[in-house]
């Protein structure tokens, strides 16, 4: 009971660690330890002089194989199956429509928005640049590539990431201490794993993601090996820690799935640091050294990846310097910094009678919006939302307060038409807004005033509802909002330096709007309305006593007023702040990611659910399925997938049996065997779990290719199970087993190869390939 | 003994007040009545608690007349409501005793006394244990399970008489707990985790032979899994036997299940569905009837609503199957409806036809979803927007041959209705319409839908032509429906029901607010009722005892922090831990209690249904145990500080109890006192009742 921590027993005595090392096969051992003990060295030297030489000779040949020849053969094999017929479909396949397009945006420098971090798409952009592509093709799904476009090079560039996974997998297996047979088994499984194989033939992020994941795992195993020989604070150690950090930085900058890999590295590091802490307090490790361990971890595994992630975004912002389709969802300042943005053109001070659009500065920074649909609850008045696109319904008119309205002062000229009292329409649109003014916001296209009701809002029940109500002639106190200017951003240009701090300027003034009657502030909550509100952002009236609460801050984005003079020079907007834009962009990515929720009533033949992946229930048609189309069907290698899933269960049983034996003390678990169990079995299993489990609880729509990284770890678990099994059966039988496994892996690929290489004939010709009825070939 | 006396006084004081239906007594009273009448009903809770109330009521001579319709209804003389409430009351008293015994196992008797008193005077549990509700019996069974399991764990000699007895009682009380409310499973989980841990430890004891270990293993499996499961199933067995007739719940079970109820009428009906038949159409997944009524949609087409309705025997569930031609008498000669036929559905009571509009349905506003409504009249001419193709998808397991795949056969064929005008498929789901739709399920028509929610079958079927020819037609027949089938189906519906309890309730609360007593639940108030002249204003407002709740939360927090540090220290593989006995006992105790608290509390966060303060009780029980265990440890280490702590918590608890006595027992109070007692602005006690 006291030793439920199974590494414990052997750590307790440093001695046993040493003796154990002497007992192990000398050919495997490092000479360092031996050098410490002269006697033993002598004995070994005397007794097995010839022997050592022999093994040494053998070793150098085998090293040549393991270091160069084997990886080369495997890479060549992998390259062949991945590059073969890569050019055959000369049209946009599957998500090339997204990622190719995003690559084009980089080449055209046009700003866009997407749920994934930028690194992978930057690389796609780079591949386009190398291929001499100018970004003019707009990657419509299933459209033929133009003649002059070198899409093959772009695909090959992407494919290289997929190919390189193979030697890395082989090297990882070697590092884990497997024998060659197992290493080959793992590598072959990685080569002929058909999900990643098929995906790497196209311009997608999946092979880039898998590559960084594979690379990070490779580096982690290096770190593990260095840790077991206590070399983490040497140059080598820091080098490999940094490489690990670099890799997880890259994988996170490609897709957020990388966070699962980061979690694996994180858990490993925490375990390591806890053990080292125990060593420290047991006086086996000096505090200074322990502290040093912490510092290296912080720098290599936290600071470095975060820097890479930030750098990817910095490059993203720098490259996308022109206005583009993503502009409507980002802050006014960022838009204004884009070349070709038209929001800078309006008059510099807002007056009564101005037409404005208002942008929130909260976490969901969209434009204030209203449309002719009512809330289904509460007073059932017209909805007020925030909207990520620019349209007519975002436009509000600044209207005078009620007192002015009663005395006949109106900002909107057309009002008089109906009642015929034209004298009432005194137009004083030259009057500028001042800080503290009471104004009314008139929604231009529906002709209603925006106001707050003292009833709970639709989603965030603790705040008040905001709605549009009434007609142009309504005079309700609830319609009045007090303008409270918070800050004025300064323009870098001298010409605009003297703008009044009490006036409302588009782009540069940040302000709040307080409801005169209720005293609450117009705010966003970051939640989205249900489908009746078209999933647009919620707007509420919020009691906020903290005036830096950004969810209550707004700014004017577009400003139109014919009566006011335009500035004589083009406005030079203030510079956007990188940190702010970075945080907001990431939040927006998160929100749109969470908004990708499937409708359970609607059948979606592309998406699949988590439980379908390990049993390979469904595949995915990657393109249109006509008789003349070259068709690709995304499906895993059945043998690899099924056997790896089975291995995961077998592994758990193995762990259980080891646990039982350990607890019954019928097996001695030494440091060495524990460490190899950890790195060969437990780490990949946890890796699989971390890459798989989140998809179970995730609400968003999931696809088959989400299983690719998890499958990579499942393959390593499979290797472990096979390896452990092969050690208990006689050698000859184990050769047979390995032979059969190789044949099964390659054979099942060969049988289904046409699914990945592209089917040219009508889909009916391939009916025999349906191993399961649920495959829609 | 003194403790029991005290508990009796506190828990049973004026239990007959108020002589009216309070809060959820509405439900449990109604269920007792259903048992009395043998009418089948559905509920989210397993039957044991409800059965107990029924048995007690019968034992004390109830005639089953009184209907527990609404809160505040006055009991008539025949209702033995005091006896029924005594079930809760006695369970409450026993809980106090079990608490004392549990704490006494490893703490000093003064602390055991103190802990039991805390539980005894905890306002919310006192309130709960005076009413016909399930929570107090649940807590009672839970506390017995905890006591016996702890006792079992401490029994020095394995396989001895006491060892087996404790183990068995643990299993029995777990079985009782989970047969009252499924939340009893959390305590089962608690026992389970600790048992696995125990077995692991025993495995490491080389003095225990492998054979003995297997004995350990199997005796636990038998007592802690098989025994509770048997009790649970037995409760269901009695439940089904006790309810032989159709009732409020029979609409929500499948036809096959219904066929086992004695007075099911559709088993005499023709099995073949012919043109001109009047049928009820049931949704396979949701098990509710396709329904329409004389109310219109406020959105979309503004035509008559089509919904799903759970209650059978409603004329608005009746549809007549017609061909695509204008209605005339020749229809009845047309013969059976076959797979692929085009039909129209005539809603008899409102005289309109089922119709799909290319406008968005009220809830699911997707482009591919269309609204389903009723429109037109008997003179409707051919119009593809009123026509549906019947596509038979599969058959129910009780059908004897493949006929239901060819012809539409009542209760056997499972089919889809494909709208001819827009090619969409009529479906429904769990989503409920708001108030204007009476909270019935939305029915819509979706282009390329997922299959499970588009399936329907026909339950009752009648056709005038079969009545004329008397018995010369094939009738609906069923294969036997076993007990296991019933249990399985009942549970599916229980979970569905539980999941769908999402309607806003005024007094529902978020789990995160429970430990902080942010709000109570108004159980009863006689302000709005027709006053008897001599009746004073009285309110029952279930509110947590502030001192005890907060003390519990604080001690849990401290205990968790301490335990994490302790565990970290304990796991050090380089040092063999040396610890004192008190230390060891204390940490084992709080480990158990923390685990129990976590297991009983955190699942609530994952629940989508509406929750109430009383769902915190099982977790609170562990919180109170922690208070005791922590104070005991402090007394061991620092005597005066420990006793001071004990007195402080006790005094606080007593003060909060005494102060709120009127709203626990529904006694007299003054408006002013009541208003002053609203310590938090969120406590919405209705003080106006006292004016």
């Amino acid at each position: 009971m006291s030793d439920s921590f199974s590494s414990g027993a052997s750590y307790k005595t440093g001695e046993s660690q040493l003796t154990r090392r002497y007992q192990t096969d000398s050919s495997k051992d490092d000479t360092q330890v031996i050098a410490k003990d002269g006697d033993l060295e002598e004995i070994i030297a005397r007794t097995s002089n010839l022997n050592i030489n022999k093994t040494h000779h053998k070793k150098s040949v085998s090293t040549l194989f393991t270091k160069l020849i084997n990886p080369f053969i495997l890479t060549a094999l992998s390259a062949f199956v991945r590059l073969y017929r890569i050019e055959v479909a000369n049209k946009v396949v599957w998500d090339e429509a997204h990622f190719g397009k995003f690559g084009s945006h980089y080449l055209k420098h046009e700003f866009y928005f997407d749920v994934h971090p930028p690194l992978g798409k930057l690389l796609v952009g780079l591949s386009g640049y190398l291929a001499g592509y100018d970004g003019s093709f707009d990657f419509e799904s299933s459209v033929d590539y133009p003649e002059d476009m070198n899409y093959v090079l772009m695909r090959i560039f992407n494919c290289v990431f997929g190919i390189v996974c193979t030697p890395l997998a082989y090297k990882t297996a070697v590092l884990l201490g497997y024998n060659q047979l197992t290493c080959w088994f793992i590598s072959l499984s990685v080569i002929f794993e058909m999900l990643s194989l098929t995906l790497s033939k196209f311009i997608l992020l999946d092979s880039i993601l898998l590559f960084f994941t594979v690379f990070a795992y490779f580096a982690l195993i290096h770190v593990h090996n260095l840790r077991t020989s206590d070399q983490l604070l040497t140059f080598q150690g820091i080098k490999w820690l940094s490489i690990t950090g670099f890799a997880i930085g890259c994988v996170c900058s490609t897709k957020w799935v990388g966070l699962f890999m980061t979690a694996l590295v994180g858990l490993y590091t925490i375990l390591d640091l806890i053990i080292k802490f125990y060593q420290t307090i047991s006086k086996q490790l000096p505090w200074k050294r322990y502290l040093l361990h912490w510092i290296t971890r912080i720098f290599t595994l936290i600071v470095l990846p975060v820097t890479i992630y930030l750098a990817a975004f910095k490059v993203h912002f720098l490259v996308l310097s022109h206005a583009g389709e993503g502009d409507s969802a980002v802050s006014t300042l960022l838009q204004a910094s884009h070349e070709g943005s038209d929001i800078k053109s309006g008059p510099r001070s807002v007056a009564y009678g101005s037409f404005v659009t208002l942008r929130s500065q909260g976490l969901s920074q969209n434009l204030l919006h209203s449309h002719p649909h009512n809330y289904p609850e509460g007073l059932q008045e017209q909805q007020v939302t925030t909207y990520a696109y620019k349209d007519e319904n975002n436009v509000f008119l600044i209207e005078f307060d009620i007192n002015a309205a009663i005395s006949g002062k109106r900002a909107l000229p057309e009002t008089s038409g109906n009642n015929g009292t034209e004298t009432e329409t005194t137009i004083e649109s030259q009057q500028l807004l001042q800080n503290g003014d009471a104004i009314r916001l008139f929604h231009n296209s529906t002709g209603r005033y925006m106001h707050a009701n003292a009833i709970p809002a639709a989603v965030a029940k603790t705040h008040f509802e905001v709605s549009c109500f009434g007609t142009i002639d309504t005079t309700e106190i609830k319609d009045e909002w007090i303008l409270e200017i918070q800050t004025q951003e300064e323009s870098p240009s001298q010409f605009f330096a003297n703008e009044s701090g009490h006036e409302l300027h588009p782009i540069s003034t940040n302000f709040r709007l307080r409801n005169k009657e209720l005293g609450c502030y117009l705010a966003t909550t970051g939640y989205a309305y249900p489908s009746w509100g078209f999933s647009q952002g919620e707007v509420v009236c919020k009691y906020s006593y903290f005036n830096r609460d950004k969810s209550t801050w707004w700014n004017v984005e577009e400003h139109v007023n014919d009566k006011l003079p335009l500035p004589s020079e083009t406005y030079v907007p203030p510079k956007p702040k990188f940190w702010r834009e970075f945080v907001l962009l990431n939040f927006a990515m998160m929100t749109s990611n969470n908004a990708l929720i499937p409708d359970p009533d609607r059948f979606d033949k592309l998406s699949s659910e988590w439980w379908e992946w390990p049993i390979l229930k469904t595949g995915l048609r990657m393109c249109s399925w006509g008789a003349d189309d070259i068709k690709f069907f995304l499906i895993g290698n059945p043998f690899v997938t099924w056997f790896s899933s089975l291995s995961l269960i077998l592994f758990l049983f193995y762990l259980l049996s080891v646990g039982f034996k350990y607890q019954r003390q019928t097996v001695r678990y030494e440091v060495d065997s524990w460490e190899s169990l950890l790195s060969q079995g437990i780490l990949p299993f946890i890796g699989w779990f971390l890459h798989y489990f989140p998809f179970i609880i995730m609400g968003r729509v999931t696809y088959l290719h989400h299983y690719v990284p998890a499958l990579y770890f499942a393959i390593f678990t499979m290797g472990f199970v096979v390896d452990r099994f092969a050690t208990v059966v006689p050698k000859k039988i184990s050769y047979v087993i390995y032979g059969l496994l190789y044949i099964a892996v390659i054979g099942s690929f060969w049988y289904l190869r046409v699914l990945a290489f592209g089917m040219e004939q009508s889909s009916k010709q391939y009916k025999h390939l349906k191993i399961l009825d649920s495959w829609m070939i | 003994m003194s403790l029991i006396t005290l508990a009796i006084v506190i828990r049973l004081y004026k239990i007959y007040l108020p002589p009216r239906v309070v809060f959820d007594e509405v439900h449990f009273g109604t269920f007792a009545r259903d048992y009395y009448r043998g009418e089948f009903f559905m509920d989210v809770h397993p039957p044991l608690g409800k059965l107990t109330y029924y048995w007690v009521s019968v034992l004390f001579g109830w005639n089953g007349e009184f209907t527990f319709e609404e809160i505040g209804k006055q009991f008539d003389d025949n209702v033995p409501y005091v006896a029924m409430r005594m079930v809760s009351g006695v369970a409450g008293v026993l809980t106090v005793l079990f608490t004392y015994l549990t704490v006494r196992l490893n703490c000093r008797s003064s602390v055991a006394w103190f802990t039991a008193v805390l539980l005894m005077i905890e306002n919310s549990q006192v309130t709960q244990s005076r009413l016909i509700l399930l929570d107090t019996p649940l807590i009672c069974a839970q506390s017995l399970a905890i006591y016996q399991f702890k006792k079992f764990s401490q029994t020095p000699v394995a396989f001895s008489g006491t060892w087996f007895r404790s183990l068995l009682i643990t299993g029995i009380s777990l079985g009782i707990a989970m047969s009252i409310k499924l939340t009893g499973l959390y305590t089962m989980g608690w026992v389970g985790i600790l048992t696995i841990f125990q077995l692991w430890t025993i495995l490491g004891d080389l003095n225990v032979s492998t054979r003995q270990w297997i004995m350990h293993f199997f005796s636990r499996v038998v007592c802690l899994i098989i025994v509770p499961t048997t009790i649970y199933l037995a409760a269901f067995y009695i439940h089904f036997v006790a309810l032989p007739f159709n009732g409020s719940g029979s609409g929500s079970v499948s036809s096959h299940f219904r066929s086992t109820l004695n007075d099911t009428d559709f088993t005499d009906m023709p099995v073949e569905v012919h043109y001109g038949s009047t049928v009820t159409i049931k949704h396979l997944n949701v098990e509710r009837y396709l329904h329409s009524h004389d109310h219109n949609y406020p959105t979309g087409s503004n035509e008559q609503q089509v919904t799903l309705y759970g209650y059978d025997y409603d004329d608005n569930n009746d549809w007549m199957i017609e061909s695509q031609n204008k209605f005339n008498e020749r229809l009845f000669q047309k013969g059976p409806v076959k797979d692929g036929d085009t039909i129209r559905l005539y809603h008899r009571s409102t005289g309109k036809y089922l119709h799909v509009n290319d406008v968005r349905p009220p809830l699911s506003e997707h482009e591919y979803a269309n609204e389903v409504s009723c429109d037109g009249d008997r003179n409707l001419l051919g119009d593809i927007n009123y026509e549906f193709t019947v596509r038979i998808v599969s058959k129910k397991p009780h059908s004897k041959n493949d006929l239901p795949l060819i012809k539409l056969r009542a209760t056997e064929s499972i089919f889809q209705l494909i709208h001819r005008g827009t090619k969409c498929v009529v479906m429904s789901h769990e989503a409920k319409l708001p108030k204007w739709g009476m909270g019935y399920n939305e029915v819509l028509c979706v282009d390329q839908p997922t299959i499970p929610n588009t399936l329907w079958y026909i339950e009752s079927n009648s056709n005038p032509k079969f009545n004329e020819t008397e018995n010369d037609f094939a009738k609906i027949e069923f294969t036997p429906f076993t007990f296991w089938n019933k249990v399985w189906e009942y549970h599916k519906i229980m979970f569905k029901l539980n999941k769908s309890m999402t309607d806003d309730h005024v007094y529902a609360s978020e789990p995160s607010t429970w430990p902080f007593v942010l709000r109570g639940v108004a159980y009863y108030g006689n302000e709005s009722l027709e006053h008897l002249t001599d009746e004073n204003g009285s309110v029952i407002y279930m509110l947590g005892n502030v001192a005890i709740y907060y003390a519990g939360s604080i001690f849990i927090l401290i205990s968790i922090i301490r335990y994490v540090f302790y565990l970290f220290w304990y796991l050090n593989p380089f040092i063999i831990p040396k610890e004192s006995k008190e230390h060891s006992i204390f940490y084992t105790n709080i480990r158990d209690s923390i685990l129990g608290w976590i297991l009983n509390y955190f699942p609530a966060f994952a629940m989508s249904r509406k929750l109430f303060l009383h769902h915190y009780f099982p977790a609170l029980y562990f919180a109170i145990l922690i208070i005791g265990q922590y104070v005991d440890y402090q007394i061991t280490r620092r005597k005066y500080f420990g006793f001071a702590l004990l007195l402080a918590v006790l005094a606080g608890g007593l003060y909060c109890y005494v102060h709120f006595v009127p709203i626990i027992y529904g006694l007299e109070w003054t408006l002013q006192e009541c208003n002053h007692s609203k310590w938090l602005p969120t406590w919405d006690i209705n003080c106006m009742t006292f004016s």
Side-chain angles (χ1 to χ4, degrees), chain A residues 361-400:
Chain A
Q361 303 206 352
L363 281 172
S364 66
Q365 35 172 5
N366 291 331
L367 291 165
L368 190 68
H369 180 95
S370 182
H371 44 219
H373 296 273
N374 293 350
Y375 290 108
E377 294 146 24
L379 298 176
Q380 307 197 347
E381 296 172 356
Q382 182 171 305
Q383 297 169 10
V384 174
T385 67
T386 58
Y387 190 44
Y389 299 92
K390 299 189 176 184
D391 81 357
E392 281 290 289
N393 279 328
N394 300 340
V395 178
F396 287 84
L397 173 87
I398 312 268
E399 180 58 86
F400 290 104

Side-chain angles (χ1 to χ4, degrees), chain B residues 404-452:
Chain B
L405 294 178
I406 302 159
K407 292 190 228 171
L408 197 59
R409 282 166 71 90
T411 73
E412 293 177 7
S413 307
I414 296 170
F415 61 94
Q416 290 179 320
L417 287 173
I418 299 159
H419 183 238
R420 288 196 68 208
T422 57
K423 303 283 176 253
C424 62
V425 186
V426 179
M427 69 173 321
S428 184
H429 46 205
E430 291 293 341
K432 305 251 173 39
L433 296 173
K435 232 173 252 160
W436 53 258
M438 333 280 155
Y440 298 171
N441 302 57
E442 181 194 39
V443 172
L444 65 167
C445 191
V446 171
D447 186 31
Q448 294 182 26
T450 44
I451 307 298

Side-chain angles (χ1 to χ4, degrees), chain B residues 11 119 122-129 136 139 617 620 624:
Chain B
R11 288 298 178 95
L119 184 90
E122 202 286 296
N123 300 22
S124 54
Q125 305 212 35
V126 179
T127 313
Q128 203 79 0
S129 75
T136 316
I139 300 286
F617 287 179
L620 181 68
I624 291 175

Side-chain angles (χ1 to χ4, degrees), chain A residues 10-29:
Chain A
S10 39
Y11 269 112
K12 267 174 194 158
T13 46
E15 232 177 303
S16 72
Q17 204 172 337
L18 280 178
T19 42
R20 193 258 321 142
R21 286 205 178 274
Y22 295 133
Q23 286 154 6
T24 50
D25 182 9
S26 60
S27 65
K28 264 206 317 197
D29 217 332

Side-chain angles (χ1 to χ4, degrees), chain A residues 12 278 599-602 664, chain B residues 203 208 368 429 447 450 568 573:
Chain A
K12 267 174 194 158
Y278 286 140
D599 178 1
D601 293 342
R602 169 80 162 179
R664 290 307 280 178
Chain B
L203 190 67
V208 178
Y368 49 77
H429 46 205
D447 186 31
T450 44
F568 194 70

